[in-house]
Amino acid sequence: MFEPDIAPSATLLGLLQRGRGDGTLHALAAERPDALAALDACVTCDPRRDWRTESRSLYYARLYSELEAPLDGIEAHLFHPEDLAAGGTGDPSAGTGGAGSGPDESRTGLALSVLGHLAAYGRRDALGLLRRYTASGANWAWALDELALRDDDAALMRLAPAVLDRFPAGPEGDAALRAAVRDAYEPRPWRLWAAAHPRIAAAGEQAPFDLWQRQLNRTSAAPGWGAAEVLAWADRAAEDDPAVPARDAVRRRAAAAARCLAAVAGPDDRPLLVDAARCGAEGARRAALRHLLDRDDPAVPGLVELAAVDPDRRIVEAALELVGLMRGPAAVGHARRWADPATGGADSALGEAAARLLADAGDERDAPLVTDALRRWIAARGADGDGLGCLVDGAGRLGAAGAVAALRYVYAETVSSQLRGRAARALAATDPYFPAGPAVECLWDCEESTRELAARHVATTGDARVLERLRRLAADPAEEAEVHAAVRGRLTSAPR
């Protein structure tokens, strides 16, 4: 994933980019031109590191509605020459997939999703932009999926010729058309069009057979029947699948090999497997380590310690991944030793992995170790990064009151709305001031789960904004069912 340019959290743009509730509140209080400029900047340059896991579209659409903002910025972005250069004018290989698989989803996907929500709120200008973009834009499949949920049959039927013109007659165009029908997230338009366009009807009938044919034609090397053969097969991953990056091929083959070992390895094979886990090549070593871990072999902790200091970074990564899978009293005991600053290993990669294991599987006595690991992470890497979420969750699960300051920092500074939601959940379990503090802001958060958390915990007295916000969420048809349930539960029990 690309790294977006994120403004500081103390600025209006930074708050909106992060999807924080305070972003909406500050935008509504700011000078309107400043708020509109910041909002357009977010929608036309997606600030998310991973659009598949982070929500923003409803958050921004609600702000467009509250500000009664024009859509000129979104229109200019969608119909910029850069979009045409991506292949949106008739190239059957460009944008033939469903939403999220077209060539420009990272450039235009957020804007199209915002338009979809605005169309659901009754903005006719948003509906018109979606129709125009479906007819001429590169990421037309995403726009069509948005229309499939909101537009009427007659308007969708009028779009059929423009979409069908993207697929020239002939084998290549027909194959691209079948892919478009097969991959569409929302099949409604294609079903409507099939009644009037024989090519679309034929594509819809043939698409499932294309999928079955691809599955039948798959060929891959199979291992021999024996532990040694399986280990050798794990080491041949890069050779057998040269089209896949070597790192990915080895990881996938090693995982498959570990499953095969469960079927073929016997007690007599243990010396071979321990030796492979100690000094084998990457594929065999990964497979043997995973198999021995699944069998709760007593040699695993020592093998993990050895692999964690290997000169090969790939072996170190394999060892650290394995630590995350360890469970049971013995594994937790080893993790306490690895993560304890008194042993000198807390700052090592193995110590960090052990702290994450304690966050997942430890008990209340491990709260100080998890808190120390959380603080060290923030000091070294800031409020983001793979692995931080596990420590945040663990601090909440273990009720680590000493971690409140660190959790507040993560909540305020992280650029990931998913991680911010996890920090909010941990604060709800550790911070006595959460109901009257962060929970109020969370009612405006971009993430559904964070709004639901806030609705369940927020103090309904002391802040006049809270009850009004709860009522608006309850009445909003675009809100998720889980949030509606939480909000209505609080409204029925709120003091009058």
Side-chain angles (χ1 to χ4, degrees):
M1 294 296 170
F2 73 99
E3 291 291 333
D5 185 15
I6 303 297
S9 63
T11 64
L12 174 59
L13 178 59
L15 289 169
L16 290 177
Q17 287 175 321
R18 288 167 171 80
R20 281 183 53 181
D22 271 355
T24 295
L25 298 173
H26 280 67
L28 294 175
E31 294 292 333
R32 190 166 184 272
D34 296 338
L36 295 181
L39 181 56
D40 277 345
C42 291
V43 175
T44 58
C45 186
D46 194 336
R48 298 170 294 180
R49 288 182 173 176
D50 188 350
W51 57 264
R52 296 173 182 83
T53 62
E54 294 189 55
S55 300
R56 291 291 190 282
S57 55
L58 180 58
Y59 172 83
Y60 293 139
R62 282 172 167 163
L63 191 50
Y64 269 101
S65 294
E66 296 211 38
L67 292 172
E68 298 182 355
L71 303 182
D72 298 348
I74 294 180
E75 180 178 11
H77 176 68
L78 291 179
F79 297 101
H80 191 276
E82 184 179 345
D83 189 75
L84 300 179
T89 55
D91 179 358
S93 66
T96 57
S101 62
D104 266 20
E105 69 269 9
S106 65
R107 198 187 79 84
T108 58
L110 178 58
L112 294 171
S113 295
V114 169
L115 290 177
H117 285 299
L118 288 173
Y121 281 136
R123 289 281 297 259
R124 302 297 298 177
D125 51 350
L127 198 61
L129 284 177
L130 284 172
R131 291 169 180 165
R132 283 177 53 202
Y133 190 82
T134 299
S136 62
N139 199 12
W140 62 272
W142 191 314
L144 180 60
D145 283 336
E146 297 292 342
L147 288 174
L149 297 172
R150 283 112 182 169
D151 217 349
D152 56 64
D153 290 357
L156 288 173
M157 288 299 294
R158 288 193 292 270
L159 286 171
V163 172
L164 195 56
D165 284 347
R166 295 176 179 275
F167 306 96
E172 184 179 349
D174 290 342
L177 179 58
R178 290 196 301 273
V181 175
R182 181 187 66 238
D183 296 339
Y185 279 12
E186 298 294 338
R188 177 176 162 237
W190 300 101
R191 291 173 179 168
L192 284 173
W193 298 341
H197 297 275
R199 280 189 71 203
I200 295 177
E205 294 170 358
Q206 182 63 34
F209 294 98
D210 289 346
L211 178 61
W212 297 338
Q213 189 65 45
R214 289 203 307 273
Q215 292 172 336
L216 290 172
N217 289 341
R218 286 180 180 171
T219 58
S220 59
W225 192 258
E229 289 81 0
V230 170
L231 294 175
W233 178 68
D235 281 334
R236 293 197 306 269
E239 303 170 22
D240 292 342
D241 202 354
V244 178
R247 180 180 178 183
D248 295 338
V250 171
R251 290 165 65 101
R252 288 193 299 207
R253 179 68 66 85
R259 293 191 294 269
C260 291
L261 287 171
V264 304
D268 294 342
D269 294 310
R270 183 178 182 274
L272 172 67
L273 295 169
V274 171
D275 187 62
R278 180 181 295 113
C279 56
E282 182 188 2
R285 196 167 184 178
R286 281 179 174 271
L289 279 168
R290 178 58 190 270
H291 174 76
L292 292 171
L293 172 67
D294 291 342
R295 295 295 174 273
D296 199 21
D297 193 284
V300 166
L303 293 170
V304 167
E305 290 180 8
L306 184 64
V309 295
D310 195 273
D312 189 337
R313 181 61 194 171
R314 297 169 301 175
I315 300 300
V316 174
E317 290 176 356
L320 301 184
E321 290 171 9
L322 206 67
V323 172
L325 300 174
M326 297 173 71
R327 289 296 183 270
V332 171
H334 287 292
R336 287 176 180 141
R337 176 169 57 85
W338 294 333
D340 190 345
T343 67
D347 292 328
S348 68
L350 180 58
E352 291 183 354
R356 293 195 292 273
L357 171 57
L358 295 176
D360 282 341
D363 56 33
E364 288 79 3
R365 80 186 86 168
D366 300 310
L369 290 175
V370 173
T371 299
D372 288 344
L374 178 60
R375 290 170 177 161
R376 284 195 303 273
W377 182 291
I378 292 172
R381 301 181 182 90
D384 286 289
D386 295 336
L388 178 56
C390 176
L391 296 175
V392 166
D393 293 343
R397 185 182 70 83
L398 299 174
V404 167
L407 292 171
R408 288 176 180 172
Y409 181 82
V410 173
Y411 173 88
E413 295 297 329
T414 180
V415 301
S416 167
S417 56
Q418 286 285 330
L419 181 56
R420 181 176 63 254
R422 295 165 77 171
R425 191 168 300 279
L427 285 169
T430 58
D431 184 358
Y433 298 102
F434 178 78
V440 176
E441 177 192 350
C442 288
L443 289 173
W444 283 265
D445 197 86
C446 67
E447 293 291 342
E448 165 209 340
S449 58
T450 306
R451 296 193 298 274
E452 179 187 357
L453 175 77
R456 297 190 185 283
H457 288 84
V458 70
T460 56
T461 58
D463 192 328
R465 300 172 299 175
V466 170
L467 286 177
E468 175 60 24
R469 180 59 176 173
L470 291 174
R471 293 187 187 102
R472 294 193 67 171
L473 290 175
D476 191 339
E479 189 53 85
E480 298 292 339
E482 292 81 0
V483 179
H484 276 159
V487 167
R488 288 166 181 163
R490 294 306 305 279
L491 286 174
T492 57
S493 60
R496 300 290 181 180

